Amino acid sequence: MKLLKNGFIVNMETGEFSRQDLYIDNNEIIKIAPNIQMDDVEVIDCTNKWLIPGLIDMHVHIKKHFANYFTAAGITTVRNTAGSIIELKPFIDANGSKMEPRVISADRMIDGPPGLWGDDTAYNINVDNADLAKQEVARQVELGAHFIKVYGWLDPEYMEVVVSEARKHNLEVSSDILYSKKVDALHAADIGIDWLEHGSGIIQAMYPEWSMDAPKEIWDSIPWEQPDEQLIESVCKELLKKDIKLCPTIVLYDQMRLADRYWTTTHEVVHHMENSDYLFKHWPQAVQAKQGQVTFGTQTKTIQKIAYTYYKMGGTVVTGTDTPAGSFTYPGFALHRELQLFVDAGFTPLEALQQATLNAAKALKIVNLGDLKEGYIADFLILNENPLRNIENTMKIDRIVKDGKLYAIDELLENIPTEQEINDYTKGLIKTFEELGLNAGN
C-alpha cells in the first residue's frame, strides 16, 4: 500500500492538473482525493511533482537485452509488432508485474517469398499458398499471439486468407506494407487490415507510381516538404470509413532523415545504453552510410502531415517508434522524441500525450490502463516539470510506478543484463528454437 501525497495529478481528458493524493493497493489505484489520511501505508511526498500515466510505445521489437531501458524511460507498456511469442512469454505472463514493461505482442511476421528478411525463421515466415497461411495463423493463435502481423511482400490473395482466419479468433491484423508494390493503404483497408504501421501504404495510394525502389525522377516529382493536403485528406477519408488505425513511427523516419545529425539527449538512461555498445552495433554503421536519407528520411514531413490530418479527421493515431530499427531509436527515449515530433506535426502537448496513454490503451482495448483514475492499473510517472507546458518535460522523470511498484531509474539500470548474461540467454533461446524446429536467424 502506497500513499502519494500532494502531487499535481493530470486529468488526461481535459489536460488539467489538480493537487491531490493518490492511494494504491497492490497494483490498483484505489482512491484519488485531496488530503487522504491513512495509517500503516508507505507515504511518498510528491510536492511540486506532476503525475501522468505510464507511456505506451505502440510499435517496438523488444528483447530481454534492453527491456528495462523502456521502463527506465517511463514506458510501462509496449506493443511488440512481430517477434517470437516463445521468446517473450515470460514478459507476457508477467503482465507488467516485473521490471520489464507489460508486453502485447504478435508472433512472427507473415511475409511472401523471397521475404524482405530472408528465409523462414522464428521471427518471420514466407507464405505462398492459402493452406500455409491458415496453418500459420492457427499456430500463432495457439501460441497466444495478441494480434497478427503481415508484411508487404505477402500476396494480396494470402493476405485476405490471413485476415479471414484472424477474424475467426477475434484478432486484429497489423500490416507493414511500406515495401509492397501490390497493396496500398486503400487495398489493405478493403482486405480488412486493421493497422497501418509506419503509416505505410498511404503514400502509395496517393502516388500509385511511387514505391520504395522507384526511380529518382518519381521520388523527385513528389512534394515531400510541402505535402498535398487535399490528396492526403482524400485517402484518409476512405481509411476513416474502415476505422483503420495508424502508428506513424515518425521518429524512425526522422532519425534516418537526420542521419549523422541524429537526435539524442543528455540523459542518464541514454548515456547508459550508449556505453553498452554490444546492444546496438548496427546504428553507427547505418548513420555513416546515410542510406536512410533517401528511402526513409525524405518521407518525414509527409508522414507527419498524414498523422495529424487523420487525427483531426477523427481517426486513431498512436505513438510508436519501431525500436530498435533504423538508427538511434533509443529504447524508451525514442518515444519521448516521437511525442516531440507529434507536437511538431501540429498536435498540442495534451493531444500528443493522449495518443501515448489513454488513446493507445483504447486502441489496445485495455479498459483500465492509460489514465489516472480509481480502479485503473497503477502505471504512472512522477515528473519534475509540467509536460503540458513543454512536451520535452516527459523526459524529466523523478520515479516510475509500474503495476503498483515504485522504481528509481538507477535501480532499473542496475538490472540491465550484462553482455555475458545476454550471450548465455541467447544460447539457451537458440537451443529452444532448434528443439521446436525453428531457425533462430542471425
Side-chain angles (χ1 to χ4, degrees):
M1 296 184 291
K2 296 179 179 64
L3 181 61
L4 289 83
K5 298 286 291 183
N6 299 318
F8 293 113
I9 297 177
V10 72
N11 180 319
M12 281 308 305
E13 294 176 357
T14 66
E16 296 175 350
F17 281 95
S18 58
R19 189 188 296 276
Q20 298 191 77
D21 298 345
L22 187 151
Y23 169 57
I24 301 169
D25 190 3
N26 291 320
N27 69 339
E28 184 180 343
I29 299 172
I30 303 299
K31 187 174 183 180
I32 299 175
N35 197 30
I36 298 173
Q37 300 296 324
M38 299 190 71
D39 296 324
D40 300 322
V41 297
E42 178 185 358
V43 176
I44 300 161
D45 183 11
C46 291
T47 303
N48 295 326
K49 305 294 182 184
W50 280 258
L51 276 61
I52 66 169
L55 302 175
I56 303 173
D57 192 329
M58 291 290 282
H59 188 130
V60 307
H61 301 281
I62 194 170
K63 296 279 188 183
K64 183 179 179 69
H65 310 37
F66 49 87
N68 283 359
Y69 284 130
F70 284 104
T71 310
I75 285 68
T76 54
T77 299
V78 299
R79 174 174 171 263
N80 192 73
T81 53
S84 167
I85 294 292
I86 296 164
E87 177 180 356
L88 296 176
K89 194 173 188 304
F91 293 170
I92 294 169
D93 289 349
N95 195 28
S97 63
K98 306 296 185 183
M99 285 188 175
E100 302 86 4
R102 180 175 292 98
V103 175
I104 311 298
S105 187
D107 193 54
R108 62 181 176 178
M109 66 181 74
I110 304 176
D111 201 3
L116 188 67
W117 299 101
D119 295 335
D120 295 355
T121 70
Y123 303 102
N124 62 287
I125 182 172
N126 300 317
V127 167
D128 60 1
N129 65 78
D131 286 342
L132 183 56
K134 292 177 181 178
Q135 291 168 15
E136 180 59 21
V137 173
R139 188 192 72 85
Q140 295 194 17
V141 168
E142 186 175 357
L143 279 175
H146 297 108
F147 61 99
I148 307 295
K149 171 75 174 290
V150 297
Y151 222 67
W153 288 5
L154 182 63
D155 190 276
E157 177 184 355
Y158 309 132
M159 200 175 286
E160 289 185 23
V161 174
V162 169
V163 170
S164 176
E165 293 300 303
R167 287 288 179 274
K168 295 176 183 178
H169 302 279
N170 199 31
L171 294 184
E172 292 187 333
V173 179
S174 155
S175 71
D176 176 351
I177 51 175
L178 187 64
Y179 288 91
S180 179
K181 295 182 181 179
K182 294 182 178 180
V183 181
D184 65 21
L186 298 180
H187 190 183
D190 288 338
I191 287 172
I193 294 295
D194 300 285
W195 287 86
L196 296 176
E197 308 298 336
H198 317 302
S200 60
I202 296 177
I203 297 174
Q204 288 100 316
M206 293 167 60
Y207 304 101
E209 71 280 10
W210 177 84
S211 65
M212 286 292 284
D213 61 357
K216 185 177 184 298
E217 57 266 25
I218 299 297
W219 280 84
D220 291 345
S221 70
I222 296 174
W224 298 106
E225 294 299 308
Q226 295 180 313
D228 187 327
E229 294 188 37
Q230 284 190 320
L231 200 50
I232 290 172
E233 287 177 5
S234 68
V235 174
C236 287
K237 182 179 179 181
E238 296 305 310
L239 297 178
L240 201 55
K241 292 176 182 177
K242 300 291 180 69
D243 194 27
I244 300 299
K245 305 176 186 71
L246 301 187
C247 187
T249 64
I250 303 167
V251 66
L252 174 70
Y253 292 97
D254 196 56
Q255 290 292 67
M256 300 289 265
R257 176 185 69 86
L258 293 171
D260 55 356
R261 297 177 293 109
Y262 61 89
W263 175 88
T264 188
T265 184
T266 54
H267 193 281
E268 60 186 300
V269 175
V270 171
H271 180 70
H272 190 282
M273 69 178 78
E274 287 184 338
N275 284 332
S276 302
D277 61 355
Y278 72 95
L279 292 175
F280 309 111
K281 291 181 180 178
H282 68 283
W283 284 350
Q285 289 90 335
V287 162
Q288 291 303 316
K290 297 188 179 182
Q291 294 170 342
Q293 286 183 314
V294 173
T295 57
F296 272 86
T298 302
Q299 302 172 62
T300 304
K301 290 291 184 184
T302 299
I303 295 296
Q304 282 184 299
K305 180 60 71 174
I306 288 168
Y308 185 63
T309 299
Y310 194 59
Y311 168 72
K312 282 300 181 183
M313 292 174 72
T316 298
V317 181
V318 295
T319 54
T321 62
D322 205 12
T323 298
S327 60
F328 292 94
T329 48
Y330 300 104
F333 269 80
L335 190 71
H336 294 282
R337 177 58 175 166
E338 183 78 356
L339 290 170
Q340 295 168 28
L341 290 166
F342 264 55
V343 171
D344 182 63
F347 292 78
T348 66
L350 174 61
E351 289 171 338
L353 198 56
Q354 286 171 333
Q355 311 326 306
T357 54
L358 76 136
N359 288 343
K362 287 177 184 176
L364 291 172
K365 301 177 182 177
I366 305 177
V367 297
N368 61 342
L369 187 69
D371 208 345
L372 293 178
K373 291 182 177 179
E374 294 175 1
Y376 274 56
I377 296 171
D379 280 9
F380 56 90
L381 309 184
I382 303 170
L383 302 178
N384 292 316
E385 301 287 346
N386 184 347
L388 300 187
R389 192 166 292 162
N390 183 339
I391 197 63
E392 293 187 14
N393 288 340
T394 59
M395 296 187 291
K396 296 179 180 178
I397 300 168
D398 179 65
R399 281 166 289 182
I400 302 105
V401 175
K402 186 171 67 66
D403 210 54
K405 300 181 181 68
L406 184 70
Y407 295 102
I409 290 175
D410 287 349
E411 176 187 3
L412 292 160
L413 295 181
E414 286 169 3
N415 282 276
I416 296 291
T418 65
E419 184 171 3
Q420 185 59 52
E421 287 171 336
I422 288 303
N423 287 339
D424 293 342
Y425 165 80
T426 301
K427 288 176 184 177
L429 186 62
I430 291 171
K431 183 178 179 182
T432 298
F433 286 149
E434 289 174 346
E435 290 171 350
L436 294 170
L438 295 170
N439 175 11
N442 293 328

